[in-house]
Amino acid sequence: LGRRADSLDRRVALRAHLEAGALDHQLFRWMTPDGFPEDGASLLATSGLMGRLEFNQGIYAGDDLNVRFDPVGLLQSRGVDLQDVDAVVRELTILFFQENSSQEDRRLVAEFLGTDLQGAPLPLDITAPDYELRVRQAACLVASLPQGMQQ
């Protein structure tokens, strides 16, 4: 029993040491009260970047246990014309970044969503078998824009 108590005391002491910021790190907490840091080395930390990439992967795949994202249903519920590339892109950028996206970013996403692999125009058709996948890909691209790495 004495050994077990000693081990527990050491773990408690280590946790207190870490939480006190002795290693410039707090256990299981974001460093800022509003989520990810927005600048400096912490923004570029591998674990933070990997978390963002995993989130984006969940948007794309649609089967992540932690991310339930139905972009088509969400757009539909907001009254967006699901066959209008610009309307879909505008709403996706608003959903992810409010009004904080550039015209160039929206243009690039619209070009991606509205063309085929060769760059030829490809209209959005809600009856096409790949419609949801295309919208998911566009949502993932929006989330991957530089603003997404700063959120």
Side-chain angles (χ1 to χ4, degrees):
L1 184 62
R3 217 153 118 192
R4 182 185 234 179
D6 185 46
S7 174
L8 179 62
D9 288 343
R10 275 188 267 142
R11 285 184 298 190
V12 168
L14 175 60
R15 183 177 183 102
H17 180 71
L18 291 173
E19 287 183 343
L23 299 176
D24 195 26
H25 175 74
Q26 290 187 352
L27 293 178
F28 312 115
R29 291 185 183 90
W30 300 120
M31 292 185 296
T32 60
D34 58 347
F36 288 110
E38 294 184 7
D39 57 7
S42 301
L43 173 66
L44 300 174
T46 304
S47 62
L49 183 60
M50 290 305 294
R52 290 170 174 87
L53 293 175
E54 285 179 25
F55 179 77
N56 295 352
Q57 182 180 14
I59 291 170
Y60 174 74
D63 60 0
D64 187 291
L65 296 176
N66 296 313
V67 179
R68 298 279 184 231
F69 187 64
D70 174 12
V72 175
L74 189 58
L75 293 168
Q76 222 169 12
S77 74
R78 295 171 72 95
V80 175
D81 179 354
L82 299 177
Q83 298 192 127
D84 181 340
V85 169
D86 291 327
V88 168
V89 169
R90 184 174 44 256
E91 195 64 28
L92 287 174
T93 57
I94 288 170
L95 286 167
F96 281 96
F97 308 124
Q98 291 118 23
E99 299 293 331
N100 187 26
S101 64
S102 71
Q103 186 174 357
E104 178 63 11
D105 288 342
R106 291 188 302 275
R107 187 195 65 74
L108 289 171
V109 177
E111 182 180 320
F112 174 81
L113 183 59
T115 59
D116 65 13
L117 293 175
Q118 287 72 40
L122 181 64
L124 274 177
D125 177 2
I126 59 173
T127 63
D130 67 342
Y131 178 82
E132 183 180 357
L133 176 62
R134 288 176 63 196
V135 173
R136 280 187 179 283
Q137 289 171 337
C140 186
L141 178 57
V142 169
S144 300
L145 291 171
Q147 297 93 316
M149 297 300 122
Q150 297 170 9
Q151 298 271 326

PDB file of all heavy atoms in Angstrom, residues 1-14:
ATOM      1  N   LEU A   1       0.820  -1.191   0.000  1.00  0.00           N
ATOM      2  CA  LEU A   1       0.000   0.000   0.000  1.00  0.00           C
ATOM      3  C   LEU A   1       0.867   1.259   0.000  1.00  0.00           C
ATOM      4  O   LEU A   1       0.540   2.216  -0.672  1.00  0.00           O
ATOM      5  CB  LEU A   1      -0.943  -0.017   1.198  1.00  0.00           C
ATOM      6  CG  LEU A   1      -1.930   1.140   1.260  1.00  0.00           C
ATOM      7  CD1 LEU A   1      -2.841   1.122   0.052  1.00  0.00           C
ATOM      8  CD2 LEU A   1      -2.729   1.091   2.531  1.00  0.00           C
ATOM      9  N   GLY A   2       1.990   1.204   0.719  1.00  0.00           N
ATOM     10  CA  GLY A   2       2.875   2.359   0.786  1.00  0.00           C
ATOM     11  C   GLY A   2       3.449   2.707  -0.584  1.00  0.00           C
ATOM     12  O   GLY A   2       3.584   3.869  -0.939  1.00  0.00           O
ATOM     13  N   ARG A   3       3.783   1.705  -1.393  1.00  0.00           N
ATOM     14  CA  ARG A   3       4.338   1.930  -2.722  1.00  0.00           C
ATOM     15  C   ARG A   3       3.302   2.559  -3.648  1.00  0.00           C
ATOM     16  O   ARG A   3       3.600   3.454  -4.431  1.00  0.00           O
ATOM     17  CB  ARG A   3       4.805   0.592  -3.276  1.00  0.00           C
ATOM     18  CG  ARG A   3       6.052   0.703  -4.064  1.00  0.00           C
ATOM     19  CD  ARG A   3       6.782  -0.592  -4.008  1.00  0.00           C
ATOM     20  NE  ARG A   3       6.911  -1.148  -5.337  1.00  0.00           N
ATOM     21  CZ  ARG A   3       7.302  -2.367  -5.559  1.00  0.00           C
ATOM     22  NH1 ARG A   3       7.541  -3.177  -4.566  1.00  0.00           N
ATOM     23  NH2 ARG A   3       7.467  -2.794  -6.762  1.00  0.00           N
ATOM     24  N   ARG A   4       2.084   2.072  -3.540  1.00  0.00           N
ATOM     25  CA  ARG A   4       1.000   2.591  -4.376  1.00  0.00           C
ATOM     26  C   ARG A   4       0.733   4.070  -4.044  1.00  0.00           C
ATOM     27  O   ARG A   4       0.553   4.890  -4.928  1.00  0.00           O
ATOM     28  CB  ARG A   4      -0.244   1.765  -4.150  1.00  0.00           C
ATOM     29  CG  ARG A   4      -1.391   2.184  -5.006  1.00  0.00           C
ATOM     30  CD  ARG A   4      -2.597   1.388  -4.625  1.00  0.00           C
ATOM     31  NE  ARG A   4      -3.137   0.742  -5.779  1.00  0.00           N
ATOM     32  CZ  ARG A   4      -4.175  -0.037  -5.743  1.00  0.00           C
ATOM     33  NH1 ARG A   4      -4.744  -0.333  -4.601  1.00  0.00           N
ATOM     34  NH2 ARG A   4      -4.648  -0.565  -6.832  1.00  0.00           N
ATOM     35  N   ALA A   5       0.725   4.410  -2.770  1.00  0.00           N
ATOM     36  CA  ALA A   5       0.497   5.793  -2.354  1.00  0.00           C
ATOM     37  C   ALA A   5       1.636   6.681  -2.842  1.00  0.00           C
ATOM     38  O   ALA A   5       1.413   7.814  -3.286  1.00  0.00           O
ATOM     39  CB  ALA A   5       0.364   5.873  -0.840  1.00  0.00           C
ATOM     40  N   ASP A   6       2.874   6.170  -2.776  1.00  0.00           N
ATOM     41  CA  ASP A   6       4.032   6.927  -3.239  1.00  0.00           C
ATOM     42  C   ASP A   6       3.921   7.211  -4.739  1.00  0.00           C
ATOM     43  O   ASP A   6       4.171   8.321  -5.204  1.00  0.00           O
ATOM     44  CB  ASP A   6       5.317   6.162  -2.918  1.00  0.00           C
ATOM     45  CG  ASP A   6       6.552   6.958  -3.266  1.00  0.00           C
ATOM     46  OD1 ASP A   6       6.595   8.161  -2.925  1.00  0.00           O
ATOM     47  OD2 ASP A   6       7.452   6.388  -3.908  1.00  0.00           O
ATOM     48  N   SER A   7       3.501   6.216  -5.512  1.00  0.00           N
ATOM     49  CA  SER A   7       3.325   6.377  -6.956  1.00  0.00           C
ATOM     50  C   SER A   7       2.239   7.404  -7.258  1.00  0.00           C
ATOM     51  O   SER A   7       2.394   8.254  -8.131  1.00  0.00           O
ATOM     52  CB  SER A   7       2.961   5.025  -7.579  1.00  0.00           C
ATOM     53  OG  SER A   7       2.653   5.179  -8.924  1.00  0.00           O
ATOM     54  N   LEU A   8       1.140   7.334  -6.509  1.00  0.00           N
ATOM     55  CA  LEU A   8       0.053   8.289  -6.674  1.00  0.00           C
ATOM     56  C   LEU A   8       0.528   9.696  -6.335  1.00  0.00           C
ATOM     57  O   LEU A   8       0.246  10.648  -7.064  1.00  0.00           O
ATOM     58  CB  LEU A   8      -1.138   7.897  -5.798  1.00  0.00           C
ATOM     59  CG  LEU A   8      -2.343   8.835  -5.865  1.00  0.00           C
ATOM     60  CD1 LEU A   8      -2.910   8.862  -7.280  1.00  0.00           C
ATOM     61  CD2 LEU A   8      -3.402   8.385  -4.883  1.00  0.00           C
ATOM     62  N   ASP A   9       1.289   9.822  -5.262  1.00  0.00           N
ATOM     63  CA  ASP A   9       1.819  11.141  -4.879  1.00  0.00           C
ATOM     64  C   ASP A   9       2.705  11.712  -5.979  1.00  0.00           C
ATOM     65  O   ASP A   9       2.643  12.899  -6.281  1.00  0.00           O
ATOM     66  CB  ASP A   9       2.640  11.040  -3.581  1.00  0.00           C
ATOM     67  CG  ASP A   9       1.754  10.814  -2.363  1.00  0.00           C
ATOM     68  OD1 ASP A   9       0.531  11.055  -2.463  1.00  0.00           O
ATOM     69  OD2 ASP A   9       2.296  10.396  -1.326  1.00  0.00           O
ATOM     70  N   ARG A  10       3.522  10.874  -6.602  1.00  0.00           N
ATOM     71  CA  ARG A  10       4.390  11.350  -7.678  1.00  0.00           C
ATOM     72  C   ARG A  10       3.580  11.795  -8.887  1.00  0.00           C
ATOM     73  O   ARG A  10       3.866  12.806  -9.507  1.00  0.00           O
ATOM     74  CB  ARG A  10       5.384  10.263  -8.079  1.00  0.00           C
ATOM     75  CG  ARG A  10       6.609  10.271  -7.178  1.00  0.00           C
ATOM     76  CD  ARG A  10       7.681   9.344  -7.661  1.00  0.00           C
ATOM     77  NE  ARG A  10       7.439   8.088  -6.950  1.00  0.00           N
ATOM     78  CZ  ARG A  10       7.583   6.887  -7.484  1.00  0.00           C
ATOM     79  NH1 ARG A  10       7.984   6.731  -8.707  1.00  0.00           N
ATOM     80  NH2 ARG A  10       7.343   5.816  -6.774  1.00  0.00           N
ATOM     81  N   ARG A  11       2.514  11.048  -9.227  1.00  0.00           N
ATOM     82  CA  ARG A  11       1.669  11.440 -10.360  1.00  0.00           C
ATOM     83  C   ARG A  11       0.947  12.748 -10.075  1.00  0.00           C
ATOM     84  O   ARG A  11       0.851  13.610 -10.934  1.00  0.00           O
ATOM     85  CB  ARG A  11       0.674  10.344 -10.695  1.00  0.00           C
ATOM     86  CG  ARG A  11       1.325   9.176 -11.414  1.00  0.00           C
ATOM     87  CD  ARG A  11       0.310   8.187 -11.811  1.00  0.00           C
ATOM     88  NE  ARG A  11      -0.318   7.696 -10.578  1.00  0.00           N
ATOM     89  CZ  ARG A  11      -1.135   6.672 -10.509  1.00  0.00           C
ATOM     90  NH1 ARG A  11      -1.478   6.028 -11.581  1.00  0.00           N
ATOM     91  NH2 ARG A  11      -1.644   6.290  -9.369  1.00  0.00           N
ATOM     92  N   VAL A  12       0.463  12.897  -8.854  1.00  0.00           N
ATOM     93  CA  VAL A  12      -0.220  14.137  -8.475  1.00  0.00           C
ATOM     94  C   VAL A  12       0.770  15.295  -8.542  1.00  0.00           C
ATOM     95  O   VAL A  12       0.452  16.374  -9.058  1.00  0.00           O
ATOM     96  CB  VAL A  12      -0.857  14.020  -7.068  1.00  0.00           C
ATOM     97  CG1 VAL A  12      -1.312  15.365  -6.556  1.00  0.00           C
ATOM     98  CG2 VAL A  12      -2.008  13.022  -7.107  1.00  0.00           C
ATOM     99  N   ALA A  13       1.972  15.077  -8.062  1.00  0.00           N
ATOM    100  CA  ALA A  13       2.996  16.132  -8.076  1.00  0.00           C
ATOM    101  C   ALA A  13       3.368  16.494  -9.516  1.00  0.00           C
ATOM    102  O   ALA A  13       3.510  17.677  -9.853  1.00  0.00           O
ATOM    103  CB  ALA A  13       4.227  15.680  -7.307  1.00  0.00           C
ATOM    104  N   LEU A  14       3.502  15.481 -10.390  1.00  0.00           N
ATOM    105  CA  LEU A  14       3.840  15.742 -11.789  1.00  0.00           C
ATOM    106  C   LEU A  14       2.721  16.533 -12.463  1.00  0.00           C
ATOM    107  O   LEU A  14       2.974  17.515 -13.156  1.00  0.00           O
ATOM    108  CB  LEU A  14       4.087  14.433 -12.543  1.00  0.00           C
ATOM    109  CG  LEU A  14       4.337  14.580 -14.044  1.00  0.00           C
ATOM    110  CD1 LEU A  14       5.569  15.447 -14.304  1.00  0.00           C
ATOM    111  CD2 LEU A  14       4.486  13.223 -14.691  1.00  0.00           C
TER     112      LEU A  14
END
